[in-house]
Amino acid sequence: MMNLMHWRLLVAVADNGSITAAAERVGMTQSAASQAMAAMEATLGAQLFARESRRTLPTALGLQVIEQARVMLNALQTIRRTVDESKPMLRGTIRLASFPMVLAAFLPPLLRRFNQLYPGIEVTALEVSDDEVNTLLDADLIDLGVVLNPGPERKATVLGRDNWVAVLPMDHVFSRRPAEASVALEALLEQPFVLATGGCTVNARSLAAEAGLALQDVRVEVREWSSAFSLVREGVGVTLVPEMTLPAQRQGLRVMPLTCPVHREFALVASRTRAPSAAATALLKMLAD
């Protein structure tokens, strides 16, 4: 049975031309090295070296075997170097904060995949509002945070994009328009309105302000998107939501695109003041790949 020591001894004999010198190099006695070489040749069923009075030289077959042994030993060194370089990422913790929808619907499969790749890294996920994400990042209380519409000055790993869409009761006057019709943001904001925030500061009110408009008649404000859809079904008003929040069952609802599309982008960013840890870098790399 040959092991790694046999292959190291084989290469050492070829490099030194002597079993005695090779034995010293690999940390064996001369007799043990001679026995190991004899056992290797017996196992392979071939002579690898020719013994002369002062030299031990490889046979033609021995030269080929030695070449492959060098390849194997170099590959082993590469493996060890790869493991050593990766050790900082094999263990650690990541503190990550996100607003509810992304944390509940988007991140779980990504974090499960990360756990498969790096089982020694523990990810602690916090559910907060989008403005609280930035506060935690600025205070260096978290490693990574999910932010909405990051500016070009921030190095961000984009997780996804979607459009804002209008959701109306089926008996609303706008719902009578053809299937391919859209609705203008200004016209939508003039309707009796159900304001849904999803725990984010970016919502219909902030979008209206960015467009130089305002909500004219807010009947109720809710945090959960599902609550907004229920209220729209009951005819309380219309609403404006990100497309990814739409329910699978849309009975009683008419979903319409905006005439001038408005999109949102959510991305993972690190602290502005310090470089991400090895563990956080591993997560960002996985997402980028």
Side-chain angles (χ1 to χ4, degrees):
M1 185 72 176
M2 292 182 292
N3 56 37
L4 188 58
M5 182 62 76
H6 286 95
W7 298 113
R8 285 176 173 159
L9 177 62
L10 179 75
V11 172
V13 172
D15 289 344
N16 291 273
S18 162
I19 291 180
T20 301
E24 183 178 351
R25 178 175 166 181
V26 300
M28 299 175 67
T29 64
Q30 193 276 337
S31 60
S34 296
Q35 292 174 13
M37 288 300 301
M40 177 178 286
E41 290 180 325
T43 300
L44 293 174
Q47 184 177 351
L48 302 180
F49 288 92
R51 281 76 172 175
E52 299 181 358
S53 58
R54 296 186 178 181
R55 297 280 292 172
T56 302
L57 301 174
T59 63
L61 176 60
L63 288 173
Q64 297 180 55
V65 173
I66 291 163
E67 181 181 355
Q68 294 302 314
R70 292 188 194 277
V71 171
M72 179 179 63
L73 293 174
N74 286 335
L76 178 61
Q77 286 184 331
T78 301
I79 290 170
R80 285 180 169 167
R81 185 165 54 249
T82 299
V83 172
D84 288 342
E85 291 173 354
S86 300
K87 279 182 179 178
M89 293 188 296
L90 297 180
R91 295 197 175 278
T93 59
I94 300 174
R95 294 160 300 174
L96 184 153
S98 173
F99 46 92
M101 176 54 67
V102 171
L103 189 60
F106 201 88
L107 283 178
L110 298 177
L111 295 181
R112 282 195 295 271
R113 175 58 180 153
F114 183 70
N115 181 251
Q116 293 170 351
L117 292 173
Y118 299 96
I121 297 178
E122 180 182 358
V123 180
T124 301
L126 306 175
E127 180 180 307
V128 297
S129 65
D130 55 338
D131 59 334
E132 288 172 332
V133 170
N134 284 306
T135 300
L136 292 170
L137 281 169
D138 291 342
D140 278 342
L141 294 175
I142 56 175
D143 299 293
L144 300 170
V146 177
V147 299
L148 283 172
N149 303 325
E153 75 283 356
R154 303 198 75 168
K155 186 177 180 180
T157 300
V158 176
L159 298 174
R161 299 178 178 87
D162 62 359
N163 288 320
W164 290 85
V165 294
V167 183
L168 310 98
M170 287 303 297
D171 60 357
H172 193 279
V173 62
F174 292 168
S175 298
R176 300 170 194 161
R177 296 178 181 177
E180 66 278 5
S182 61
V183 58
L185 179 62
E186 184 174 8
L188 184 72
L189 299 178
E190 292 173 349
Q191 306 302 308
F193 208 88
V194 175
L195 176 60
T197 67
C200 297
T201 55
V202 179
N203 52 57
R205 178 175 282 133
S206 68
L207 295 175
E210 287 180 9
L213 304 169
L215 289 166
Q216 302 296 320
D217 182 13
V218 177
R219 298 293 174 90
V220 64
E221 178 175 340
V222 294
R223 175 185 173 92
E224 302 299 329
W225 306 108
S226 57
S227 300
F229 299 136
S230 296
L231 292 168
V232 171
R233 283 191 181 95
E234 295 171 10
V236 175
V238 304
T239 194
L240 181 67
V241 302
E243 197 168 12
M244 71 175 290
T245 68
L246 291 171
Q249 302 299 324
R250 302 180 189 177
Q251 292 88 344
L253 301 175
R254 171 72 190 275
V255 177
M256 300 179 69
L258 295 178
T259 303
C260 295
V262 178
H263 81 275
R264 70 170 190 168
E265 184 176 86
F266 43 98
L268 205 58
V269 301
S271 168
R272 303 173 191 262
T273 58
R274 61 183 171 89
S277 66
T281 299
L283 176 57
L284 291 172
K285 184 178 184 304
M286 185 203 78
L287 295 173
D289 291 343

